[in-house]
Structures are given as C-alpha cells and as structure tokens.
Amino acid sequence: MRRIGGVAAALALFGVAPLVAQYFGQNKVQYSSFDFRIIQTEHFDVYYYPAERTGALDAARIAERWYARLSRILHHQFQGRKPIILYASQSDFQQTNIIDATGEGLGGVTEFFKHRMVLPFTGSYAELEHVIGHEMVHQFQYDVYSRGRVGGGMQTLINVNPPGWFMEGMAEYLSVGPIDPLTAMWLRDASLEGHLPTLQDLTYERVFPYYFGHAIWAYVGEKWGDEAIGQILQASLTGGVEGAFKRTLGVTLDDLMSEWRDAVQTTYLPQLADHYRARRIAQPVLTEKRSEGTLHIAPALTPDGHQIAYFSEKNSFFVDLYLADAETGKVIRRLVKSTLSSNFESLRFIYSAGYFSPDGRYFAIAAKHKDRDDLVTLHRLTHDKYAHLQPSWSPDGKTIAFATDRGPATNFDDLKFGNMRIALYHLDKGTIELLDHKDDGRNINPVWAPDGRSLAFVSDRSGISNLFLYDFTDKNIYQLTNVYTGVSGITPLSPCLSWAHEADRLAFAYYEDGEYNVYGLDNPRSLKRQPYRAPATPLVASLVAAERRAITGTEPTPSAAAASNQTPAESRAGASIYRSPTGFRSSGTTSQTSDSSAPAAISVKTLIDSSPALPDTSEFTFKPYHTRFTPDYVARPTIGYERDNFGRGFFGGTAISLSDILGNHTLVFSGAVNGRLSEAQVLAAYINQSHRMNWAIGGSQEPLYFYLPTLVGPDTTN
C-alpha cells in the first residue's frame, strides 16, 4: 500500500494517523459508471476507461519497465499477468469498490487476494511512476508468498506475518532508490530528538514504517549488496523474517538494528553543526503547545498577516480546517468540521492549500463534492502531459507562478521525468517561461513577494528542503534558510509556504520532533546573502560510508577494499560474511570478479537510472471488459463422520466468495451440515455495486433447534 506516494502512498500517505482518518460521516457513493476496457501487456492487464486512455498507455509502458527492473533485483518472475486498475483522478479513485479509498492518505494500494494494483492519476508523471513501482513491489511480495498462485498463500502470509517496515520499506527503497531528502529529514529529526525506533517499535508499528523501513533497506543494500534483498524475501517464505535475515546476512535482526541506529546517528548528528533549527531565524506560530495537535499543515496567511488558516487534527482524530491568530497561535475557530459537513466529502489537505482573497473576506479551498473537486476557475490555461501544480498569482495579476516538470530532462517518449522547477505563465502572451535554475533538486510551492520583484519557493537542492528566493532583478537564486530537518509538508509535493503581501510576513511548515509545526518570518528578504552555489561536496547520505569513517578514521579506497576484501574495522569486529551469487565476501564490500563474463552485482540505483527499454504500444492487445467471476477466498473445507450414543452422521462445510476484478459484482456461497441434510445451513447471495444504488439478493436455510423436555407423569391409559 502506498499512502502518498504508497504510498502508498503511502501516504504514501503520510506519517501521521489522521491521514487515514479523513471521514465525513457519509457512506461511499458511486457517482459514475466507468466504462472499463483492458490493455493487455506481456505481464499485466491494465484496466482503464476512455477518459484516461492516453495516460493508461503510458502507465502500461511504465509498468513493464518496472517489471524489468524488479524481476532482476528480486530474482523472481510472474507466472501470469497481474491486474492494474487505473482511475483518472483522486475523486474517481475514491469511488472504487475494490478497497476503501475514501481517505486522503491513500495514493495507491495492492490487495492480497487477487494481487490487484489500484491507483489514480495525480497530474504528475513522476509520482505515477513512483507509485506504480512501489505497488509492484507488493505484487512481487504477494506472488512470492502465494508461490505464484493468485488467491493462495494466505496461511503463509499469516505465518510469516511480515511487519510494515519490512514490506513498505522494501517497496519504498526499490521504487525510490537510496535515501532521499524526505527520508533523510525523518532520520535527522529522530537522531536529534532521540526517537530512532527500536526493532520493537517497528515490529509493533509504534512509528510510521515507510521512511524508517526505507532507510533500513537502503543500509542493507549498501552494506550487503542489493541482490540480498530478493534473497531475504525468498528466505522469509520458509524461515520467517528473523530467520531470513540471519540466514542471508549472517546477523540477527537485533544486531542489524543496533548497527543501523549507530550508522544513522553517525551520519546525521554531525550535520547539526552546519545547520540550525527553525526557531533561530523564525517565530513559532502553530505548535502543540500553542494550538494543540501535532499536525499543522498547508498554512495560508490573511493579506494583513494577522490570521492564518491551516489544516490540523488538533485534539481529535479528524483533520479539520482552522483559523488562528498568526502571532499567538491561539485558535479562533474551526472553519470546516469534516465529520459534520454535508457540503464536502473530503478536504484536499495533502496536495492543496487554501488562499485568501485580496480583501481577506473570502477563503478558497479545494474539496471533493460529489464526483469531482470544486474550485472556481478562470479558464483552462494548459493542456499537455506536464505537471502544473501550486499556481500563485503575481500581485499585479499578470503572471502565474507554478511548479512543473517541464524542461529538457522530461521526455514523454522515453517516459523520463525531470525534477520539479518553477515556471511563469504570462497571461498576456499565453506563454510559459522556465526560471533559470537548471534541474537542481525538487522545487515547489512558489509564492510572490509583495512587490512582485521576487519569488520564494521550497527546494531540496542542498539535500535538505529549505526556503529559497528567485530575484527577478539580477536573476539569481538565494538560499534564505539552512535548517536541520526540513521545510516540508507531509509529502514532497505538499504546499507548506504562504506570504502575506500587506505585512511582508512569511509562514512555513517545519518538521521537528515528529510534528509538523508552522513558523512565521518577518521581512524574509532580509535573510538574502550571496547567490546560491551548490556545495562542492553534497550532504552525506551513505550510512555505510559514515559508519566506516567513524570506525577507521578514513574512507577506504575501492582498490584497498578490493585487495583485502575486508576493511580494518571489519577484521577487528569479525563482521558477517555474505554469500552472494558470485561467491563469498565480507559485508560492506562490493562484489569483485576477474571474470569479465560473470554478471556484475545488481544495484537498485543503477537499474532506476538506466531505465530498461520501454515496450511499444503496438505490442499491446486491446480488449473490452466483461464481468468474469474469480475467487476472492475459499474457507478451508472440513468434513468428518461422528458416531456416539446420540446417533451418527456426517459434518463439515465450506464457504466461497467470488467477484469480478473491479469489485462491482460479488457472489457468496456457503454450506454446512451437521448430521442430517434437513438440518444443513446454506447461503447464496449476489451483491451488485456497479451503480449508485447498490442492491443484493439471496437466500438461506437456517435450521431451527429447540428443546422439548421429557414429561413424566402417571399412566392414565388403564
């Protein structure tokens, strides 16, 4: 499952409980009847409807490319095609009958029974590729546990009981690659605050498993080689998770976690010397102490900067829209109570933020209302495959700044996507101008300075998400902040910035101590120093390199490591020996071979960067969709014979549920007998959820047992 992004994402989905708790007290309603079709590729059946045909073809090609990557890294192939069900938007996705997708935190999901991957298009092809890769890892995991038999393996999955960090962390690592800025943000914060999770914390999911799981698998891949990941997955089939690590890596999970925690702290704590917390340059506005809750996201200042709107769970389980004093953080009132609102079915609090009108009298938000998102528009300005996110009007109303993946690094023929950049849409000419900052990092959430001469935005180009400024006068970029954790919302694309034009006050979301808080910054341009220059050496993201450096005092050269096949630290510590496909070697060293014909070690990063060849759409087969029932699950049949003083007879029973791939039609049958056929229990039912009005019909036989006491009395027959 990807809770934002699986997210999967998610949330991905993403890191806090309220992400899955967005609920409006209403039943899921299916507003549309989707005319599904099928694209058959070599390994997938892709389900789509005409409105998303172009995107579905691209998604099918992306899926085959991910299959080529993952089948190599996991050393596993599918025995049959897997289903991928696509929806054109988040609103359409929330109407699916396959799973409960009514919350905001679900960016995609893969269910176990039929190995179905279900996800929506979000407007960003890079995010689409990420979610498909993440969810496909789950398809591989389920295929391994079911031994290639769709619908089987439930008992195996129950026996293995893989924890969330094992499953979701693996999916995140194999779809993202090495530790990225968002995962690094979580690791820096947990190291600083003493919250690095233990094995127990992760196993019992006391912490959000995605990012910590991502970091654990990145550490395993870097130290033992990425080919070990597939071996651990296969070994867990019979030996469980603990046994799989011991058998493959030669270390216990407890020892592995201790080594990982030490490596994380060794890597990230020294970085604190060159960075600072947000409170050094800004004032806290929305925090748990001031405003209650641990989630304060998507801030939006009134034009005068006196008040601020934001989303928070506050002191409840649901994410609502609040208005607070921008100086004290004191909550003024709740603007929208999600559990009672009949006007909205969902607040888009992850990927959108509200905006005040120039006079401060009105506040616009994006929200799901019936079958679509409601928002007043001008007219349509763009019509292409590029992402166009987070639009921001210039003070004079002549230009719109936005985040986009436009640029030479994005190629839709090859389905390669560059980083998000800041661009301008000039309304008078109808043209788009990309700001000149090349392809450095992810750049999002542009907001205008009050005088319109500069733009503030968030970028992770330095390895940490910080505030940057683009000056239209000298066309230079300036770094305004140098924080330790990150200026960030829940996901890498979540809005987290607002600039009050009348007060020249900027508000930004900052991740600290496991919470998302909002800080205020007056006259932010006063932080402008010299134009930004990329650091000569990037922030260390290699946990193994920092670990070695801490132990040995130096960074071993590749030639030295190859010659000894063991670092001095490993010689002293008696490090584990890893049995790779090319022979035995010490952990922490790369595979070495003198035979040029021998296969090189497989690297997740190399596979993602190399991008295997894409199939041509002419190789696909197009078919109409027809309802075809296949089993969801079958209760284990039982049968027996019993004979005692009360009588004799057969007993036993079973149950089966069947449905179509879209979950619109369901058949349920069950039967049980206990002695006599006349006393059998039988159920047959049909459920139709293909339209807005759901209905069901069925019949059952239930034996009625009752007690007849024995009556003893005088014999009156004589």
Side-chain angles (χ1 to χ4, degrees), residues 687-698:
I687 305 168
N688 188 310
Q689 301 179 88
S690 59
H691 301 286
R692 184 167 185 175
M693 180 176 290
N694 300 162
W695 57 274
I697 187 173

Side-chain angles (χ1 to χ4, degrees), residues 626-646:
H626 297 293
T627 299
R628 185 170 67 90
F629 290 96
T630 56
D632 295 314
Y633 59 85
V634 178
R636 178 175 293 179
T638 60
I639 187 171
Y641 177 80
E642 185 175 10
R643 181 175 182 176
D644 56 26
N645 293 337
F646 296 96

Side-chain angles (χ1 to χ4, degrees), residues 24 88 103 184 244 257 633 686 698:
F24 287 79
M257 287 299 300
Y633 59 85
Y686 167 70

Side-chain angles (χ1 to χ4, degrees), residues 646-669:
F646 296 96
R648 60 185 179 182
F650 290 93
F651 65 90
T654 187
I656 183 172
S657 173
L658 306 101
S659 68
D660 67 327
I661 203 70
L662 300 176
N664 292 337
H665 306 273
T666 305
L667 290 171
V668 178
F669 301 98

Side-chain angles (χ1 to χ4, degrees), residues 461-543:
R461 62 184 58 208
S462 66
I464 298 176
S465 291
N466 270 288
L467 298 181
F468 286 78
L469 187 81
Y470 183 88
D471 194 309
F472 289 102
T473 303
D474 59 18
K475 299 187 183 302
N476 281 322
I477 290 177
Y478 298 86
Q479 184 171 349
L480 299 183
T481 65
N482 193 26
V483 296
Y484 178 66
T485 52
V487 176
S488 177
I490 293 174
T491 76
L493 294 179
S494 295
C496 53
L497 199 58
S498 178
W499 201 335
H501 292 172
E502 296 176 13
D504 195 15
R505 180 175 175 81
L506 190 147
F508 61 91
Y510 179 70
Y511 183 74
E512 59 180 345
D513 200 11
E515 302 175 2
Y516 291 90
N517 294 324
V518 172
Y519 282 77
L521 180 61
D522 294 318
N523 188 18
R525 285 166 292 185
S526 64
L527 297 176
K528 189 173 76 170
R529 299 293 182 263
Q530 296 298 317
Y532 173 78
R533 295 289 182 269
T537 57
L539 283 175
V540 177
S542 168
L543 301 182

Side-chain angles (χ1 to χ4, degrees), residues 28 90 93-96 99-104 106:
K28 178 183 74 67
Q90 188 75 23
F93 174 58
Q94 290 180 327
Q95 299 175 57
T96 184
I99 43 91
D100 180 9
T102 52
E104 283 298 298
L106 195 61

Side-chain angles (χ1 to χ4, degrees), residues 157-401:
L157 188 67
I158 293 172
N159 292 340
V160 176
N161 192 25
W165 70 264
F166 182 93
M167 300 290 278
E168 300 296 348
M170 183 188 298
E172 196 70 358
Y173 175 56
L174 295 183
S175 60
V176 172
I179 295 172
D180 64 344
L182 190 64
T183 293
M185 180 181 79
W186 278 59
L187 296 177
R188 280 192 300 272
D189 180 68
S191 299
L192 178 63
E193 303 295 344
H195 295 161
L196 275 176
T198 64
L199 180 59
Q200 267 196 331
D201 293 333
L202 288 165
T203 300
Y204 294 103
E205 298 196 3
R206 297 169 185 159
V207 296
F208 190 62
Y210 281 72
Y211 303 129
F212 293 121
H214 176 195
I216 293 169
W217 283 112
Y219 178 70
V220 169
E222 187 179 7
K223 188 165 185 176
W224 283 275
D226 287 329
E227 69 266 28
I229 296 173
Q231 296 179 17
I232 293 172
L233 176 61
Q234 295 283 351
S236 70
L237 183 66
T238 54
V241 172
E242 293 261 0
F245 277 93
K246 179 66 176 177
R247 176 181 175 184
T248 307
L249 306 183
V251 296
T252 66
L253 259 182
D254 283 323
D255 289 341
L256 173 65
M257 287 299 300
S258 296
E259 293 177 14
W260 172 77
R261 286 162 55 90
D262 289 343
V264 170
Q265 292 176 321
T266 302
T267 300
Y268 292 108
L269 284 179
Q271 297 176 10
L272 184 60
D274 300 320
H275 302 82
Y276 50 76
R277 302 189 189 194
R279 62 182 65 243
R280 180 185 296 184
I281 50 94
Q283 304 79 40
V285 176
L286 303 173
T287 64
E288 185 175 18
K289 183 177 180 180
R290 287 168 162 247
S291 319
E292 296 185 286
T294 61
L295 183 70
H296 311 92
I297 54 174
L301 287 164
T302 55
D304 61 12
H306 292 163
Q307 297 176 344
I308 185 170
Y310 66 101
F311 293 105
S312 176
E313 92 286 17
K314 202 169 181 283
N315 54 7
S316 70
F317 191 64
F318 305 100
V319 176
D320 297 328
L321 180 65
Y322 291 90
L323 183 70
D325 186 286
E327 290 291 338
T328 66
K330 183 179 179 181
V331 176
I332 299 172
R333 66 179 179 273
R334 178 163 40 193
L335 299 178
V336 176
K337 187 174 183 180
S338 57
T339 52
L340 297 181
S341 174
S342 59
N343 295 320
F344 312 121
E345 292 183 20
S346 184
L347 295 174
R348 300 304 194 196
F349 63 88
I350 293 180
Y351 288 114
S352 67
Y355 199 84
F356 282 96
S357 62
D359 60 7
R361 296 178 59 193
Y362 300 98
F363 186 68
I365 59 171
K368 182 178 184 294
H369 177 60
K370 294 187 177 181
D371 62 334
R372 64 189 65 226
D373 288 354
D374 281 353
L375 190 66
V376 177
T377 57
L378 311 164
H379 57 277
R380 186 165 191 169
L381 300 178
T382 60
H383 193 278
D384 52 46
K385 292 183 178 181
Y386 294 107
H388 305 112
L389 308 176
Q390 301 161 344
S392 176
W393 284 95
S394 62
D396 61 11
K398 297 180 179 179
T399 309
I400 299 175

